[in-house]
Amino acid sequence: ALNSNQLYAGGQFTSVGGVRRNYIAVLDLVTGMPTSFNPNANGSIVSMALDGTSIYVAGGFTSIGNAAKKYLAKLNTSSGNAVTGWTAPLVFPGSVLTITVADKLYIGGTFTTVGNSLRYRTAALNKSNGNLTSWNPNANGGVNVLTVSNNLIYAGGYFSEIGGSVRNGIAALSATNGKATPWNPDSGGEVTSKTVAG
């Protein structure tokens, strides 16, 4: 994720440029060296989404930003500390593979439950406190990637139904109610990556 002259990087590394950084770091675009930003996660980072002075992260961690946070966290972009008062409900039994942010934090993956509610592979959380919202496209297969544009959430994965409609591998969902739009490229296989321009 890019933020002015800095690059937020997450993955499975434990050092960058010879400096200890566990799974997440901010790199200076000029020097390539890590900044002082150091949330010190105890597990891998699979997806990140910048939102002003905060960055949302998803991965295999149970501790990040000097706090106990399981799989999802909201961090302050300057301190690297977890934002007080934001706690996501437990996502299980699968993983969160992708996140994107607009009016809510949208998450996708292989999970079927968020907190005490059924959410098949897609869900949305409140940006201010992490509470689960009613947004529920109910995908019948894994969601690998989510991208937001113009009040639409573009989903890619290996589903054949999402947002109440038949959609093979890729779909555009209303950010408000989670319903699939008429847009239907009908992918012939699994979608693993995408971006939006224009």
Side-chain angles (χ1 to χ4, degrees):
L2 279 172
N3 187 14
S4 63
N5 65 335
Q6 297 178 329
L7 174 70
Y8 287 76
Q12 297 185 0
F13 55 84
T14 55
S15 69
V16 180
V19 180
R20 183 78 175 188
R21 288 291 182 270
N22 290 320
Y23 308 107
I24 184 170
V26 175
L27 308 178
D28 186 286
L29 287 180
V30 177
T31 67
M33 292 300 292
T35 68
S36 60
F37 179 86
N38 186 17
N40 192 30
N42 70 345
S44 63
I45 304 294
V46 297
S47 188
M48 298 183 287
L50 275 166
D51 187 39
T53 59
S54 301
I55 184 166
Y56 297 91
V57 294
F61 53 83
T62 56
S63 173
I64 191 171
N66 295 311
K69 299 290 180 183
K70 202 165 188 178
Y71 313 139
L72 287 163
K74 181 180 183 180
L75 307 175
N76 183 286
T77 53
S78 57
S79 70
N81 288 332
V83 173
T84 303
W86 196 92
T87 301
L90 182 63
V91 176
F92 64 100
S95 302
V96 176
L97 301 176
T98 180
I99 59 178
T100 194
V101 65
D103 60 320
K104 309 174 188 71
L105 177 69
Y106 297 88
I107 66 175
T110 58
F111 54 86
T112 57
T113 306
V114 180
N116 296 317
S117 301
L118 291 175
R119 288 292 185 276
Y120 289 99
R121 303 164 192 98
T122 51
L125 307 178
N126 186 292
K127 289 201 306 182
S128 62
N129 56 26
N131 290 348
L132 181 67
T133 72
S134 61
W135 193 80
N136 186 14
N138 193 26
N140 71 346
V143 174
N144 296 323
V145 59
L146 295 172
T147 309
V148 62
S149 180
N150 296 327
N151 206 42
L152 292 175
I153 307 298
Y154 292 89
Y158 50 94
F159 49 82
S160 59
E161 186 175 330
I162 191 171
S165 298
V166 173
R167 294 290 184 272
N168 289 313
I170 190 166
L173 309 168
S174 165
T176 304
N177 60 27
K179 298 296 183 186
T181 73
W183 187 79
N184 185 13
D186 195 20
S187 170
E190 181 177 359
V191 174
T192 58
S193 181
K194 61 182 174 51
T195 190
V196 174

